[in-house]
PDB file of all heavy atoms in Angstrom:
ATOM      1  N   LYS Y   1       5.113  -4.500  -7.074  1.00 96.00           N
ATOM      2  CA  LYS Y   1       5.746  -3.186  -6.966  1.00 96.00           C
ATOM      3  C   LYS Y   1       4.679  -2.152  -6.617  1.00 96.00           C
ATOM      4  O   LYS Y   1       3.564  -2.182  -7.153  1.00 96.00           O
ATOM      5  CB  LYS Y   1       6.401  -2.771  -8.288  1.00 96.00           C
ATOM      6  CG  LYS Y   1       7.424  -3.762  -8.804  1.00 96.00           C
ATOM      7  CD  LYS Y   1       8.659  -3.779  -7.958  1.00 96.00           C
ATOM      8  CE  LYS Y   1       9.685  -4.717  -8.544  1.00 96.00           C
ATOM      9  NZ  LYS Y   1      10.471  -5.408  -7.595  1.00 96.00           N
ATOM     10  N   VAL Y   2       4.996  -1.222  -5.716  1.00 95.00           N
ATOM     11  CA  VAL Y   2       4.061  -0.158  -5.334  1.00 95.00           C
ATOM     12  C   VAL Y   2       3.853   0.759  -6.536  1.00 95.00           C
ATOM     13  O   VAL Y   2       4.813   1.249  -7.131  1.00 95.00           O
ATOM     14  CB  VAL Y   2       4.596   0.652  -4.134  1.00 95.00           C
ATOM     15  CG1 VAL Y   2       3.687   1.842  -3.840  1.00 95.00           C
ATOM     16  CG2 VAL Y   2       4.728  -0.239  -2.907  1.00 95.00           C
ATOM     17  N   ILE Y   3       2.584   0.961  -6.906  1.00 93.00           N
ATOM     18  CA  ILE Y   3       2.269   1.860  -8.017  1.00 93.00           C
ATOM     19  C   ILE Y   3       1.480   3.084  -7.560  1.00 93.00           C
ATOM     20  O   ILE Y   3       1.347   4.042  -8.308  1.00 93.00           O
ATOM     21  CB  ILE Y   3       1.524   1.138  -9.169  1.00 93.00           C
ATOM     22  CG1 ILE Y   3       0.226   0.500  -8.681  1.00 93.00           C
ATOM     23  CG2 ILE Y   3       2.435   0.110  -9.817  1.00 93.00           C
ATOM     24  CD1 ILE Y   3      -0.631  -0.083  -9.793  1.00 93.00           C
ATOM     25  N   ASP Y   4       0.963   3.050  -6.336  1.00 93.00           N
ATOM     26  CA  ASP Y   4       0.243   4.204  -5.804  1.00 93.00           C
ATOM     27  C   ASP Y   4       0.128   4.050  -4.290  1.00 93.00           C
ATOM     28  O   ASP Y   4       0.254   2.941  -3.763  1.00 93.00           O
ATOM     29  CB  ASP Y   4      -1.147   4.311  -6.430  1.00 93.00           C
ATOM     30  CG  ASP Y   4      -1.628   5.744  -6.553  1.00 93.00           C
ATOM     31  OD1 ASP Y   4      -1.047   6.643  -5.891  1.00 93.00           O
ATOM     32  OD2 ASP Y   4      -2.590   5.980  -7.308  1.00 93.00           O
ATOM     33  N   SER Y   5      -0.100   5.167  -3.596  1.00 93.00           N
ATOM     34  CA  SER Y   5      -0.282   5.118  -2.140  1.00 93.00           C
ATOM     35  C   SER Y   5      -1.065   6.335  -1.687  1.00 93.00           C
ATOM     36  O   SER Y   5      -1.138   7.339  -2.398  1.00 93.00           O
ATOM     37  CB  SER Y   5       1.063   5.061  -1.415  1.00 93.00           C
ATOM     38  OG  SER Y   5       1.802   6.238  -1.648  1.00 93.00           O
ATOM     39  N   ALA Y   6      -1.658   6.231  -0.512  1.00 94.00           N
ATOM     40  CA  ALA Y   6      -2.411   7.339   0.076  1.00 94.00           C
ATOM     41  C   ALA Y   6      -2.162   7.344   1.578  1.00 94.00           C
ATOM     42  O   ALA Y   6      -2.357   6.330   2.253  1.00 94.00           O
ATOM     43  CB  ALA Y   6      -3.908   7.182  -0.199  1.00 94.00           C
ATOM     44  N   ASN Y   7      -1.714   8.496   2.100  1.00 93.00           N
ATOM     45  CA  ASN Y   7      -1.421   8.644   3.526  1.00 93.00           C
ATOM     46  C   ASN Y   7      -2.673   9.025   4.299  1.00 93.00           C
ATOM     47  O   ASN Y   7      -3.540   9.720   3.787  1.00 93.00           O
ATOM     48  CB  ASN Y   7      -0.358   9.721   3.744  1.00 93.00           C
ATOM     49  CG  ASN Y   7       0.943   9.356   3.085  1.00 93.00           C
ATOM     50  OD1 ASN Y   7       1.264   8.199   2.942  1.00 93.00           O
ATOM     51  ND2 ASN Y   7       1.689  10.368   2.684  1.00 93.00           N
ATOM     52  N   MET Y   8      -2.720   8.604   5.556  1.00 92.00           N
ATOM     53  CA  MET Y   8      -3.804   8.964   6.463  1.00 92.00           C
ATOM     54  C   MET Y   8      -3.204   9.629   7.686  1.00 92.00           C
ATOM     55  O   MET Y   8      -2.902   8.949   8.680  1.00 92.00           O
ATOM     56  CB  MET Y   8      -4.612   7.732   6.858  1.00 92.00           C
ATOM     57  CG  MET Y   8      -5.447   7.203   5.727  1.00 92.00           C
ATOM     58  SD  MET Y   8      -6.114   5.588   6.078  1.00 92.00           S
ATOM     59  CE  MET Y   8      -4.711   4.566   5.650  1.00 92.00           C
ATOM     60  N   GLU Y   9      -2.983  10.954   7.568  1.00 83.00           N
ATOM     61  CA  GLU Y   9      -2.394  11.720   8.662  1.00 83.00           C
ATOM     62  C   GLU Y   9      -1.140  11.014   9.157  1.00 83.00           C
ATOM     63  O   GLU Y   9      -0.355  10.545   8.359  1.00 83.00           O
ATOM     64  CB  GLU Y   9      -3.418  11.909   9.791  1.00 83.00           C
ATOM     65  CG  GLU Y   9      -4.600  12.762   9.395  1.00 83.00           C
ATOM     66  CD  GLU Y   9      -4.284  14.221   9.255  1.00 83.00           C
ATOM     67  OE1 GLU Y   9      -3.469  14.743  10.037  1.00 83.00           O
ATOM     68  OE2 GLU Y   9      -4.853  14.854   8.370  1.00 83.00           O
ATOM     69  N   ASN Y  10      -0.956  10.887  10.445  1.00 89.00           N
ATOM     70  CA  ASN Y  10       0.216  10.209  10.995  1.00 89.00           C
ATOM     71  C   ASN Y  10      -0.078   8.751  11.354  1.00 89.00           C
ATOM     72  O   ASN Y  10       0.745   8.083  11.949  1.00 89.00           O
ATOM     73  CB  ASN Y  10       0.754  10.954  12.224  1.00 89.00           C
ATOM     74  CG  ASN Y  10      -0.265  11.003  13.350  1.00 89.00           C
ATOM     75  OD1 ASN Y  10      -1.441  10.698  13.160  1.00 89.00           O
ATOM     76  ND2 ASN Y  10       0.176  11.389  14.520  1.00 89.00           N
ATOM     77  N   LEU Y  11      -1.257   8.251  10.966  1.00 95.00           N
ATOM     78  CA  LEU Y  11      -1.647   6.895  11.334  1.00 95.00           C
ATOM     79  C   LEU Y  11      -1.043   5.824  10.438  1.00 95.00           C
ATOM     80  O   LEU Y  11      -0.733   4.734  10.897  1.00 95.00           O
ATOM     81  CB  LEU Y  11      -3.167   6.757  11.320  1.00 95.00           C
ATOM     82  CG  LEU Y  11      -3.912   7.632  12.327  1.00 95.00           C
ATOM     83  CD1 LEU Y  11      -5.405   7.501  12.135  1.00 95.00           C
ATOM     84  CD2 LEU Y  11      -3.502   7.268  13.737  1.00 95.00           C
ATOM     85  N   GLY Y  12      -0.903   6.101   9.146  1.00 96.00           N
ATOM     86  CA  GLY Y  12      -0.374   5.098   8.238  1.00 96.00           C
ATOM     87  C   GLY Y  12      -0.653   5.418   6.787  1.00 96.00           C
ATOM     88  O   GLY Y  12      -1.047   6.528   6.437  1.00 96.00           O
ATOM     89  N   THR Y  13      -0.467   4.402   5.944  1.00 96.00           N
ATOM     90  CA  THR Y  13      -0.567   4.561   4.498  1.00 96.00           C
ATOM     91  C   THR Y  13      -1.210   3.322   3.890  1.00 96.00           C
ATOM     92  O   THR Y  13      -0.933   2.205   4.334  1.00 96.00           O
ATOM     93  CB  THR Y  13       0.841   4.749   3.889  1.00 96.00           C
ATOM     94  OG1 THR Y  13       1.474   5.860   4.527  1.00 96.00           O
ATOM     95  CG2 THR Y  13       0.787   5.010   2.396  1.00 96.00           C
ATOM     96  N   THR Y  14      -2.045   3.519   2.878  1.00 96.00           N
ATOM     97  CA  THR Y  14      -2.577   2.411   2.097  1.00 96.00           C
ATOM     98  C   THR Y  14      -1.787   2.356   0.793  1.00 96.00           C
ATOM     99  O   THR Y  14      -1.583   3.380   0.146  1.00 96.00           O
ATOM    100  CB  THR Y  14      -4.083   2.588   1.820  1.00 96.00           C
ATOM    101  OG1 THR Y  14      -4.771   2.589   3.072  1.00 96.00           O
ATOM    102  CG2 THR Y  14      -4.632   1.462   0.962  1.00 96.00           C
ATOM    103  N   PHE Y  15      -1.338   1.146   0.426  1.00 96.00           N
ATOM    104  CA  PHE Y  15      -0.522   0.951  -0.767  1.00 96.00           C
ATOM    105  C   PHE Y  15      -1.259   0.089  -1.787  1.00 96.00           C
ATOM    106  O   PHE Y  15      -1.868  -0.927  -1.422  1.00 96.00           O
ATOM    107  CB  PHE Y  15       0.786   0.230  -0.408  1.00 96.00           C
ATOM    108  CG  PHE Y  15       1.660   1.017   0.519  1.00 96.00           C
ATOM    109  CD1 PHE Y  15       1.590   0.811   1.892  1.00 96.00           C
ATOM    110  CD2 PHE Y  15       2.549   1.962   0.030  1.00 96.00           C
ATOM    111  CE1 PHE Y  15       2.399   1.532   2.761  1.00 96.00           C
ATOM    112  CE2 PHE Y  15       3.357   2.690   0.890  1.00 96.00           C
ATOM    113  CZ  PHE Y  15       3.280   2.475   2.256  1.00 96.00           C
ATOM    114  N   LEU Y  16      -1.177   0.481  -3.062  1.00 95.00           N
ATOM    115  CA  LEU Y  16      -1.644  -0.327  -4.185  1.00 95.00           C
ATOM    116  C   LEU Y  16      -0.400  -0.848  -4.889  1.00 95.00           C
ATOM    117  O   LEU Y  16       0.488  -0.063  -5.232  1.00 95.00           O
ATOM    118  CB  LEU Y  16      -2.478   0.512  -5.157  1.00 95.00           C
ATOM    119  CG  LEU Y  16      -2.851  -0.161  -6.483  1.00 95.00           C
ATOM    120  CD1 LEU Y  16      -3.807  -1.337  -6.250  1.00 95.00           C
ATOM    121  CD2 LEU Y  16      -3.470   0.859  -7.431  1.00 95.00           C
ATOM    122  N   THR Y  17      -0.335  -2.165  -5.073  1.00 95.00           N
ATOM    123  CA  THR Y  17       0.802  -2.758  -5.782  1.00 95.00           C
ATOM    124  C   THR Y  17       0.298  -3.509  -7.003  1.00 95.00           C
ATOM    125  O   THR Y  17      -0.899  -3.828  -7.107  1.00 95.00           O
ATOM    126  CB  THR Y  17       1.607  -3.729  -4.894  1.00 95.00           C
ATOM    127  OG1 THR Y  17       0.826  -4.902  -4.644  1.00 95.00           O
ATOM    128  CG2 THR Y  17       2.006  -3.075  -3.581  1.00 95.00           C
ATOM    129  N   TYR Y  18       1.222  -3.807  -7.924  1.00 94.00           N
ATOM    130  CA  TYR Y  18       0.877  -4.550  -9.141  1.00 94.00           C
ATOM    131  C   TYR Y  18       2.015  -5.503  -9.472  1.00 94.00           C
ATOM    132  O   TYR Y  18       3.192  -5.157  -9.322  1.00 94.00           O
ATOM    133  CB  TYR Y  18       0.643  -3.590 -10.306  1.00 94.00           C
ATOM    134  CG  TYR Y  18       0.144  -4.270 -11.549  1.00 94.00           C
ATOM    135  CD1 TYR Y  18      -1.160  -4.730 -11.623  1.00 94.00           C
ATOM    136  CD2 TYR Y  18       0.986  -4.465 -12.641  1.00 94.00           C
ATOM    137  CE1 TYR Y  18      -1.630  -5.371 -12.760  1.00 94.00           C
ATOM    138  CE2 TYR Y  18       0.523  -5.102 -13.778  1.00 94.00           C
ATOM    139  CZ  TYR Y  18      -0.782  -5.556 -13.838  1.00 94.00           C
ATOM    140  OH  TYR Y  18      -1.239  -6.190 -14.964  1.00 94.00           O
ATOM    141  N   ASN Y  19       1.657  -6.700  -9.906  1.00 94.00           N
ATOM    142  CA  ASN Y  19       2.629  -7.690 -10.343  1.00 94.00           C
ATOM    143  C   ASN Y  19       2.505  -7.814 -11.859  1.00 94.00           C
ATOM    144  O   ASN Y  19       1.489  -8.309 -12.366  1.00 94.00           O
ATOM    145  CB  ASN Y  19       2.362  -9.034  -9.663  1.00 94.00           C
ATOM    146  CG  ASN Y  19       3.395 -10.075  -9.994  1.00 94.00           C
ATOM    147  OD1 ASN Y  19       3.800 -10.228 -11.137  1.00 94.00           O
ATOM    148  ND2 ASN Y  19       3.820 -10.816  -8.986  1.00 94.00           N
ATOM    149  N   ASN Y  20       3.516  -7.341 -12.593  1.00 92.00           N
ATOM    150  CA  ASN Y  20       3.491  -7.365 -14.066  1.00 92.00           C
ATOM    151  C   ASN Y  20       3.400  -8.775 -14.628  1.00 92.00           C
ATOM    152  O   ASN Y  20       2.818  -8.980 -15.687  1.00 92.00           O
ATOM    153  CB  ASN Y  20       4.737  -6.675 -14.633  1.00 92.00           C
ATOM    154  CG  ASN Y  20       4.634  -5.175 -14.562  1.00 92.00           C
ATOM    155  OD1 ASN Y  20       3.566  -4.602 -14.703  1.00 92.00           O
ATOM    156  ND2 ASN Y  20       5.758  -4.521 -14.314  1.00 92.00           N
ATOM    157  N   THR Y  21       3.967  -9.748 -13.945  1.00 92.00           N
ATOM    158  CA  THR Y  21       3.980 -11.123 -14.443  1.00 92.00           C
ATOM    159  C   THR Y  21       2.596 -11.762 -14.362  1.00 92.00           C
ATOM    160  O   THR Y  21       2.158 -12.428 -15.299  1.00 92.00           O
ATOM    161  CB  THR Y  21       4.988 -11.974 -13.645  1.00 92.00           C
ATOM    162  OG1 THR Y  21       6.263 -11.344 -13.738  1.00 92.00           O
ATOM    163  CG2 THR Y  21       5.075 -13.393 -14.184  1.00 92.00           C
ATOM    164  N   THR Y  22       1.908 -11.555 -13.247  1.00 91.00           N
ATOM    165  CA  THR Y  22       0.617 -12.223 -13.029  1.00 91.00           C
ATOM    166  C   THR Y  22      -0.599 -11.345 -13.344  1.00 91.00           C
ATOM    167  O   THR Y  22      -1.710 -11.852 -13.426  1.00 91.00           O
ATOM    168  CB  THR Y  22       0.493 -12.671 -11.558  1.00 91.00           C
ATOM    169  OG1 THR Y  22       0.498 -11.503 -10.726  1.00 91.00           O
ATOM    170  CG2 THR Y  22       1.627 -13.596 -11.167  1.00 91.00           C
ATOM    171  N   GLY Y  23      -0.398 -10.025 -13.475  1.00 91.00           N
ATOM    172  CA  GLY Y  23      -1.520  -9.114 -13.694  1.00 91.00           C
ATOM    173  C   GLY Y  23      -2.340  -8.899 -12.440  1.00 91.00           C
ATOM    174  O   GLY Y  23      -3.485  -8.462 -12.480  1.00 91.00           O
ATOM    175  N   GLU Y  24      -1.736  -9.194 -11.298  1.00 94.00           N
ATOM    176  CA  GLU Y  24      -2.431  -9.139 -10.016  1.00 94.00           C
ATOM    177  C   GLU Y  24      -2.216  -7.791  -9.320  1.00 94.00           C
ATOM    178  O   GLU Y  24      -1.092  -7.321  -9.194  1.00 94.00           O
ATOM    179  CB  GLU Y  24      -1.889 -10.268  -9.152  1.00 94.00           C
ATOM    180  CG  GLU Y  24      -2.602 -10.511  -7.871  1.00 94.00           C
ATOM    181  CD  GLU Y  24      -2.030 -11.746  -7.193  1.00 94.00           C
ATOM    182  OE1 GLU Y  24      -0.845 -11.747  -6.840  1.00 94.00           O
ATOM    183  OE2 GLU Y  24      -2.809 -12.706  -7.016  1.00 94.00           O
ATOM    184  N   ASN Y  25      -3.313  -7.180  -8.877  1.00 95.00           N
ATOM    185  CA  ASN Y  25      -3.278  -5.974  -8.051  1.00 95.00           C
ATOM    186  C   ASN Y  25      -3.399  -6.409  -6.597  1.00 95.00           C
ATOM    187  O   ASN Y  25      -4.023  -7.427  -6.297  1.00 95.00           O
ATOM    188  CB  ASN Y  25      -4.479  -5.063  -8.366  1.00 95.00           C
ATOM    189  CG  ASN Y  25      -4.427  -4.511  -9.755  1.00 95.00           C
ATOM    190  OD1 ASN Y  25      -3.797  -3.500  -9.998  1.00 95.00           O
ATOM    191  ND2 ASN Y  25      -5.076  -5.185 -10.704  1.00 95.00           N
ATOM    192  N   CYS Y  26      -2.844  -5.609  -5.698  1.00 97.00           N
ATOM    193  CA  CYS Y  26      -2.904  -5.915  -4.273  1.00 97.00           C
ATOM    194  C   CYS Y  26      -2.990  -4.608  -3.484  1.00 97.00           C
ATOM    195  O   CYS Y  26      -2.389  -3.604  -3.876  1.00 97.00           O
ATOM    196  CB  CYS Y  26      -1.654  -6.689  -3.856  1.00 97.00           C
ATOM    197  SG  CYS Y  26      -1.534  -7.021  -2.077  1.00 97.00           S
ATOM    198  N   VAL Y  27      -3.736  -4.622  -2.384  1.00 97.00           N
ATOM    199  CA  VAL Y  27      -3.835  -3.465  -1.491  1.00 97.00           C
ATOM    200  C   VAL Y  27      -3.537  -3.914  -0.066  1.00 97.00           C
ATOM    201  O   VAL Y  27      -4.011  -4.963   0.383  1.00 97.00           O
ATOM    202  CB  VAL Y  27      -5.235  -2.813  -1.561  1.00 97.00           C
ATOM    203  CG1 VAL Y  27      -5.408  -1.756  -0.484  1.00 97.00           C
ATOM    204  CG2 VAL Y  27      -5.468  -2.203  -2.932  1.00 97.00           C
ATOM    205  N   VAL Y  28      -2.745  -3.091   0.630  1.00 97.00           N
ATOM    206  CA  VAL Y  28      -2.445  -3.316   2.039  1.00 97.00           C
ATOM    207  C   VAL Y  28      -2.409  -1.958   2.733  1.00 97.00           C
ATOM    208  O   VAL Y  28      -1.930  -0.974   2.165  1.00 97.00           O
ATOM    209  CB  VAL Y  28      -1.111  -4.086   2.228  1.00 97.00           C
ATOM    210  CG1 VAL Y  28       0.063  -3.332   1.672  1.00 97.00           C
ATOM    211  CG2 VAL Y  28      -0.880  -4.450   3.680  1.00 97.00           C
ATOM    212  N   THR Y  29      -2.981  -1.872   3.931  1.00 97.00           N
ATOM    213  CA  THR Y  29      -2.953  -0.658   4.744  1.00 97.00           C
ATOM    214  C   THR Y  29      -2.011  -0.908   5.914  1.00 97.00           C
ATOM    215  O   THR Y  29      -2.199  -1.863   6.663  1.00 97.00           O
ATOM    216  CB  THR Y  29      -4.364  -0.308   5.272  1.00 97.00           C
ATOM    217  OG1 THR Y  29      -5.221  -0.084   4.150  1.00 97.00           O
ATOM    218  CG2 THR Y  29      -4.338   0.930   6.147  1.00 97.00           C
ATOM    219  N   VAL Y  30      -0.978  -0.050   6.041  1.00 97.00           N
ATOM    220  CA  VAL Y  30       0.082  -0.245   7.023  1.00 97.00           C
ATOM    221  C   VAL Y  30       0.095   0.907   8.023  1.00 97.00           C
ATOM    222  O   VAL Y  30       0.096   2.075   7.628  1.00 97.00           O
ATOM    223  CB  VAL Y  30       1.463  -0.333   6.327  1.00 97.00           C
ATOM    224  CG1 VAL Y  30       2.572  -0.579   7.343  1.00 97.00           C
ATOM    225  CG2 VAL Y  30       1.454  -1.411   5.252  1.00 97.00           C
ATOM    226  N   ARG Y  31       0.133   0.567   9.316  1.00 97.00           N
ATOM    227  CA  ARG Y  31       0.220   1.593  10.358  1.00 97.00           C
ATOM    228  C   ARG Y  31       1.631   2.167  10.432  1.00 97.00           C
ATOM    229  O   ARG Y  31       2.611   1.452  10.259  1.00 97.00           O
ATOM    230  CB  ARG Y  31      -0.151   1.010  11.720  1.00 97.00           C
ATOM    231  CG  ARG Y  31      -1.641   0.741  11.848  1.00 97.00           C
ATOM    232  CD  ARG Y  31      -1.987   0.043  13.122  1.00 97.00           C
ATOM    233  NE  ARG Y  31      -1.777   0.891  14.303  1.00 97.00           N
ATOM    234  CZ  ARG Y  31      -2.037   0.481  15.539  1.00 97.00           C
ATOM    235  NH1 ARG Y  31      -2.490  -0.736  15.761  1.00 97.00           N
ATOM    236  NH2 ARG Y  31      -1.834   1.304  16.563  1.00 97.00           N
ATOM    237  N   THR Y  32       1.742   3.463  10.726  1.00 96.00           N
ATOM    238  CA  THR Y  32       3.037   4.095  10.917  1.00 96.00           C
ATOM    239  C   THR Y  32       3.705   3.550  12.166  1.00 96.00           C
ATOM    240  O   THR Y  32       4.899   3.240  12.160  1.00 96.00           O
ATOM    241  CB  THR Y  32       2.878   5.624  11.031  1.00 96.00           C
ATOM    242  OG1 THR Y  32       2.234   6.093   9.837  1.00 96.00           O
ATOM    243  CG2 THR Y  32       4.211   6.320  11.186  1.00 96.00           C
ATOM    244  N   LYS Y  33       2.934   3.412  13.251  1.00 94.00           N
ATOM    245  CA  LYS Y  33       3.462   2.887  14.511  1.00 94.00           C
ATOM    246  C   LYS Y  33       2.550   1.757  14.982  1.00 94.00           C
ATOM    247  O   LYS Y  33       1.458   2.012  15.487  1.00 94.00           O
ATOM    248  CB  LYS Y  33       3.505   3.983  15.576  1.00 94.00           C
ATOM    249  CG  LYS Y  33       4.492   5.086  15.275  1.00 94.00           C
ATOM    250  CD  LYS Y  33       4.495   6.121  16.379  1.00 94.00           C
ATOM    251  CE  LYS Y  33       5.463   7.236  16.051  1.00 94.00           C
ATOM    252  NZ  LYS Y  33       5.463   8.279  17.077  1.00 94.00           N
ATOM    253  N   PRO Y  34       2.981   0.498  14.815  1.00 95.00           N
ATOM    254  CA  PRO Y  34       2.167  -0.622  15.306  1.00 95.00           C
ATOM    255  C   PRO Y  34       1.929  -0.499  16.809  1.00 95.00           C
ATOM    256  O   PRO Y  34       2.728   0.103  17.527  1.00 95.00           O
ATOM    257  CB  PRO Y  34       3.030  -1.843  14.993  1.00 95.00           C
ATOM    258  CG  PRO Y  34       3.916  -1.402  13.872  1.00 95.00           C
ATOM    259  CD  PRO Y  34       4.189   0.056  14.140  1.00 95.00           C
ATOM    260  N   GLY Y  35       0.832  -1.049  17.258  1.00 94.00           N
ATOM    261  CA  GLY Y  35       0.495  -0.987  18.678  1.00 94.00           C
ATOM    262  C   GLY Y  35      -0.712  -1.849  18.978  1.00 94.00           C
ATOM    263  O   GLY Y  35      -0.936  -2.856  18.322  1.00 94.00           O
TER     264      GLY Y  35
END
């Protein structure tokens, strides 16, 4: 589940997620418009 995020202008967003069952954190940076 997403627990935090940070936007980078109109380029995209970095997301921090957490899994309560496994105790695992995850980060992914996603572009607003792939290209």
Side-chain angles (χ1 to χ4, degrees):
K1 303 290 183 215
V2 174
I3 58 173
D4 211 344
S5 64
N7 298 331
M8 289 168 278
E9 294 288 323
N10 62 347
L11 297 175
T13 304
T14 298
F15 297 94
L16 171 66
T17 70
Y18 186 73
N19 184 316
N20 283 326
T21 304
T22 64
E24 188 175 63
N25 294 275
C26 175
V27 171
V28 61
T29 299
V30 182
R31 287 174 68 179
T32 302
K33 293 181 181 178

